[in-house]
């Protein structure tokens, strides 16, 4: 890798990403929609793969140019919610393929290689309604928004619910499903990433896995997930038994806190049942540690600053499981669930308490977890980053309380009260109502 630039990433040579919900393609799930061509709604994969935009991406990477659409992998990006670089994962996983990439790419960025890795977000079907999620990614929230008048939605979310958009994405979904099935049946697929909605709720997920196993091609496929892990079986399918047949399996099990706080953040979560599901899945590591990487995928949320993390850390200790930590997004001043909403003095103290717990309990890869938590502290909070912080935060509180009134049960105020953090409680109470 000595002869490639610092901005080089193997993804544009091996990976196809598409979003059924938005009706668009881009470089990967972490890249930014950069311009009109990048957000094409009409091209099929074959057209997209070597069109002018994709050739430009490859050429710029090979020339060492910084790509604005790849800013999330910039370690100096203070607003990134991720804890590490996706680019590093691609380059490490395909390091033995880089010579082939260079040999099969023309100076203008055209490649004779075809994608072998797929991440197609095919549906927003999901049985959870997480507080940091939206109608685009969760059918439960979509149904909730349609049922309740004045449901707090952004303009683009309302656009998603319109009939014209819904009619547009139906044929797009079929295009994506056909492209994925072609790679499966042609046995060109070597890497597939399932993420939501909730992929364990999708019929196509189970059918693809079964076809790969029955065709014998699963032994050549690396399969990756981000899942809420709410089910282990579907019809006659058994998740653990199917996964045993794959070359490599990486699973991020989404969980943002244990106990009542975790259930508050992820409406639909049953903590005790989730723990049992994780224990069953984690048996795969005993089956073959070299092939199965399974970890807790945790976002630090505002509720999570004040509860739920001790229970989660204790569970990680019990299972000897790694926790991969991010900051909940988006980093927008009306999003009260992002911990950046909290004043600097409060957030830093809460993060320090979590770090102390991680160090004292010495969880698996604790140094990595601490590094991720420190990176969250290094990012700006709203009061440092936005002029209309107070007004927008009031809107954020209204949204939180509107949804709490629908779902009933525990509230964010109660979570803060139960934590005993008086400074945080004063901050929350002080947030008034928006009069705009």
């Amino acid at each position: 890798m000595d002869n490639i630039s610092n901005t080089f990433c193997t993804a544009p040579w091996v990976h196809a990403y598409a979003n059924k919900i938005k009706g668009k393609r881009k470089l990967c799930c972490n890249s930014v929609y950069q311009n009109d061509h990048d957000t094409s709604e009409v091209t099929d994969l074959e057209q997209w793969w070597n069109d002018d935009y994709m050739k430009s991406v490859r050429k710029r990477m090979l020339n060492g140019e910084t790509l604005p659409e790849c800013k999330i992998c910039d370690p100096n990006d203070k607003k990134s919610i991720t804890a590490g670089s996706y680019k590093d994962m691609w380059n490490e996983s395909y390091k033995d393929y880089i010579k082939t990439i260079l040999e099969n790419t023309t100076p203008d960025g055209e490649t004779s290689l075809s994608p072998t890795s797929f991440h197609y977000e095919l549906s927003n079907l999901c049985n959870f309604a997480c507080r940091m999620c939206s109608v685009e990614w969760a059918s439960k929230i979509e149904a909730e928004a349609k049922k309740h008048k004045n449901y707090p939605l952004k303009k683009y979310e309302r656009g998603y619910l319109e009939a014209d958009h819904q009619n547009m994405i139906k044929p797009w979904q079929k295009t994506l499903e056909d492209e994925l099935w072609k790679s499966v049946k042609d046995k060109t697929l070597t890497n597939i990433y399932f993420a939501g909605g909730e992929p364990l709720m999708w019929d196509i997920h189970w059918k693809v896995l079964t076809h790969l196993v029955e065709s014998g091609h699963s032994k050549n496929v690396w399969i990756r997930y981000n899942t809420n892990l709410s089910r282990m079986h579907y019809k006659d399918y058994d998740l653990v038994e199917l996964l045993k047949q794959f070359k490599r399996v990486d699973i991020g099990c989404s969980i943002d806190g244990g106990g009542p706080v975790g259930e508050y953040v992820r409406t639909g979560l049953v903590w005790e049942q989730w723990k049992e599901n994780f224990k069953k899945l984690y048996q795969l590591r005993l089956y073959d540690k070299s092939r199965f990487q399974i970890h807790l995928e945790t976002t630090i949320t505002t509720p999570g600053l004040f509860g739920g993390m001790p229970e989660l850390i204790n569970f990680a200790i019990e299972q000897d499981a790694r926790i991969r930590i991010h900051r909940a997004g988006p980093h927008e001043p009306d999003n009260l669930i992002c911990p950046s909403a909290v004043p600097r003095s409060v957030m830093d103290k809460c993060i320090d308490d979590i770090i102390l717990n991680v160090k004292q309990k010495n969880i698996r890869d604790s140094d990595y977890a601490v590094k991720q938590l420190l990176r969250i502290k290094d990012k700006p909070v709203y009061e440092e980053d936005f002029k209309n912080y107070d007004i927008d935060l009031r809107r954020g509180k209204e949204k939180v309380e509107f949804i709490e009134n629908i779902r009933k049960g525990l509230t964010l105020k109660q979570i803060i009260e139960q934590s005993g953090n008086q400074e945080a409680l004063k901050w929350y109470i002080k947030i008034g109502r928006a009069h705009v």
Side-chain angles (χ1 to χ4, degrees), residues 333-347:
D334 60 351
N335 178 17
L336 201 65
I337 300 301
C338 176
S340 300
V342 179
R344 168 64 67 186
S345 59
V346 174
M347 189 194 78

Side-chain angles (χ1 to χ4, degrees), residues 225 239-246 249 251 284 291-292:
Y225 286 89
L239 182 63
V240 171
E241 292 305 313
L242 285 170
L243 293 179
K244 285 180 180 180
Q245 311 304 316
F246 283 80
V249 178
I251 306 178
L284 285 170
R291 288 169 49 209
F292 299 99

Side-chain angles (χ1 to χ4, degrees), residues 59-82:
K59 182 178 178 179
R60 283 181 285 152
M61 283 186 174
L62 292 173
N63 289 340
E65 296 180 37
T66 299
L67 278 66
E69 50 266 70
C70 300
K71 67 178 183 178
I72 200 167
C73 284
D74 181 354
N76 298 314
D77 180 12
K78 292 285 187 179
K79 296 182 182 180
S80 170
I81 65 170
T82 60

Side-chain angles (χ1 to χ4, degrees), residues 32-45:
V32 177
Y33 290 113
Q34 190 58 29
N35 53 43
D36 289 341
H37 197 77
D38 191 10
T39 60
S40 170
E41 300 174 357
V42 294
T43 55
D44 61 27
L45 179 58

